[in-house]
Amino acid sequence: MQILKLDPRALKDNPDGARRSKSSPQADALLLATVKSVGIIQPPVVSPEIDGGNGFVIQAGHRRVRQAIAAGLDEIEVLVADAVNDNGAMRSMIENVAFEPLNPVDQWRGIERLVALGWTEEAIGVALALPVRQIRKLRLLANVLPAMLEQMARGDMPNEQQLRTIAAALLEEQKEVWKANKPKKGDTAAWWQIANALSKTRMYARDASFGDDLREAYGIEWAEDMFGPADEDNRYTTNVEAFLGAQQEWMTSNLPKKGAIVEVNNWGQPELPKKAERVYGKPGKGDHTGMYLDRDGKVQTVHYRMPEPKAAAGKTASAGNSSADVGGDAVAGAKSRPDVTQKGHDMIGDFRTDALHEALGRAPIEDDTLMALLVLALAGLNVRVDSGANDHVFGPKRFKRHAARLLDQDGRLSFDLETVRVAARAMLVEVLSCRRGMSNSGVVARIAGEAIGADGYLPNMGTEDFLLCLSRQALETAAREVRLQPQPRVRDTRTALVEHFKGEATFIHPAALFAPDPREIADLIGHADAEEPAADDDAADDDADSGDTGPIPVVDTDGTSGDAPNETPEELEAAYGIAAE
């Protein structure tokens, strides 16, 4: 054999070579980077043509020759061997079958050796066509206990997650755990048990709300997780107590007005104050904000609404209603679960009301439509007008600010059309509501929402909170509509939907649309032909003349409610048809 320097472009491929399949682009990129960095380490083997030609045929090293051409090399060293009868077919077969790549342990040791010889991580990455991040990962894994490395070199490798946990632990800790879990000769190691003994809870810097001042005060030091996603902040600490303490102090210093720190239950959900009602839509000015730490130590917020103080007369009735609710729940428990739970309908009511209010404030509305909406709004189930029959007036003082915009200093009407529009929109926002309970306007709010296109203002309902309120059948239907395969477990189907709707896709449950129920429309239209009651009116007039005013009607809107004296909830419901559970 002899070594010659030849132009790689003049070498001919061997038609009897064993490797016919194309190599992967990643492998070619790795070889090209190596050739550019250090040249060809092992010369290709060639032999003279046996059919009378003057060229050379490649016996081994076709990929090296191709990448030398790609690297722009004019000459390469080749090893010239004598031609054989089979044109090198057996030689090519043996070389490709016998070749074995380095196992991960040898890669780790090789990188450490290169670093000891003066190679930088960047230079190693260029030579091996590997990201610097991968080189750093391998260097971290090379710090595994030598006894564990020997076990891994025998082919007994842990999975990636177990390997991460082991490599992140101190050598002293690894030594103690390995001593207690060392396998017998010829057996495989219980890597899951070893990793479990070395695992520690990590609190990540990306979940921290506090700054460097609190970090230094609590003695928190960040370590880098080399295995995390490259586009995220992967700094972490295992000092869980200090991390949670800093988060708690940050929450205490940054509580908003009407804010409080709330506890969490065993499932990581916030425990709201007694009788508090969670707000799933946009919080109002009178709503409260609760701050808490989730299971990852991240600061979360929740909005809730406290009930208005009630008169003592209403307590007995409330207790009776509670008993009725319990009985109703017992009956409902025997039935199959509906598509949307009661809590889901509460959330839909919040979503609708927020969308309706936003549409009333922003959507284009013709003047005649605006006036018609005012008529509809005042016909809502939640609207009751003060009679003014005595000196004790109960009424929505908040409405006065809208009327005041239409008056001059002398109390006379003085306005332009734009002022009327602003006042009308504001009044509609005050009155119309789809929230369940005393403030529900009934079908008129849904008619108004459909008329002004409030469906377009509904929020994305593809969230964990709302999807928890849907039955299996409803979740599977929603999944099929977006071409997702329903999973055997309801939780997995719900998780897939949440991930799908995190992007630009939006989920609106059909039950949340403003289109009203035809039966409710028919019932409302039926009132057009109803005769006005005469006897009751005369009796009411007689009572007014005699000074017996009876109940004083009030207005219940989204944020206010009032009960006139001598009225019970049963009387109110009979008089005004309140749809409340």
Side-chain angles (χ1 to χ4, degrees), residues 63-136:
R63 292 182 59 238
R64 280 169 277 172
V65 172
R66 285 197 297 269
Q67 298 310 319
I69 296 173
L73 300 183
D74 295 330
E75 288 184 337
I76 61 171
E77 290 185 345
V78 295
L79 187 61
V80 181
D82 295 334
V84 291
N85 295 332
D86 60 1
N87 202 23
M90 178 56 72
R91 180 186 298 163
S92 175
M93 186 69 179
I94 292 174
E95 180 188 18
N96 284 282
V97 171
F99 177 77
E100 181 181 2
L102 290 175
N103 62 48
V105 176
D106 289 335
Q107 289 183 33
W108 304 338
R109 290 170 174 164
I111 289 176
E112 289 300 317
R113 176 61 178 166
L114 291 173
V115 171
L117 293 174
W119 283 71
T120 64
E121 293 175 347
E122 290 74 12
I124 296 174
V126 171
L128 299 180
L130 293 175
V132 176
R133 182 181 179 84
Q134 180 67 18
I135 299 299
R136 290 173 180 169

Side-chain angles (χ1 to χ4, degrees), residues 210-221 239 242-243 245-246 249:
F210 56 83
D212 289 337
D213 51 347
L214 285 178
R215 179 186 62 80
E216 294 174 357
Y218 280 84
I220 298 173
E221 297 293 338
N239 192 348
F243 183 92
E249 183 171 340

Side-chain angles (χ1 to χ4, degrees), residues 532-550:
E532 296 185 1
D536 292 344
D537 288 347
D538 293 340
D541 291 340
D542 293 340
D543 290 340
D545 293 339
S546 63
D548 185 8
T549 61

Side-chain angles (χ1 to χ4, degrees), residues 506-555:
T506 300
F507 172 65
I508 304 296
H509 194 275
L513 298 175
F514 279 87
D517 189 333
R519 292 173 297 180
E520 295 180 341
I521 293 292
D523 180 69
L524 181 62
I525 295 176
H527 287 279
D529 299 328
E531 296 181 359
E532 296 185 1
D536 292 344
D537 288 347
D538 293 340
D541 291 340
D542 293 340
D543 290 340
D545 293 339
S546 63
D548 185 8
T549 61
I552 300 175
V554 297
V555 180

Side-chain angles (χ1 to χ4, degrees), residues 193-211:
Q193 191 171 353
I194 295 172
N196 187 53
L198 293 172
S199 63
K200 294 181 180 180
T201 303
R202 294 182 176 185
M203 311 304 290
Y204 285 89
R206 60 176 176 264
D207 295 331
S209 297
F210 56 83

Side-chain angles (χ1 to χ4, degrees), residues 161-222:
Q161 184 60 43
Q162 294 166 351
L163 200 54
R164 292 181 181 183
T165 303
I166 295 171
L170 299 176
L171 288 176
E172 292 77 6
E173 297 173 346
Q174 295 182 38
K175 186 174 182 180
E176 293 179 3
V177 173
W178 181 252
K179 183 178 181 180
N181 297 276
K182 184 178 180 180
K184 295 181 180 179
K185 188 175 182 179
D187 291 344
T188 58
W191 294 116
W192 64 270
Q193 191 171 353
I194 295 172
N196 187 53
L198 293 172
S199 63
K200 294 181 180 180
T201 303
R202 294 182 176 185
M203 311 304 290
Y204 285 89
R206 60 176 176 264
D207 295 331
S209 297
F210 56 83
D212 289 337
D213 51 347
L214 285 178
R215 179 186 62 80
E216 294 174 357
Y218 280 84
I220 298 173
E221 297 293 338
W222 299 123

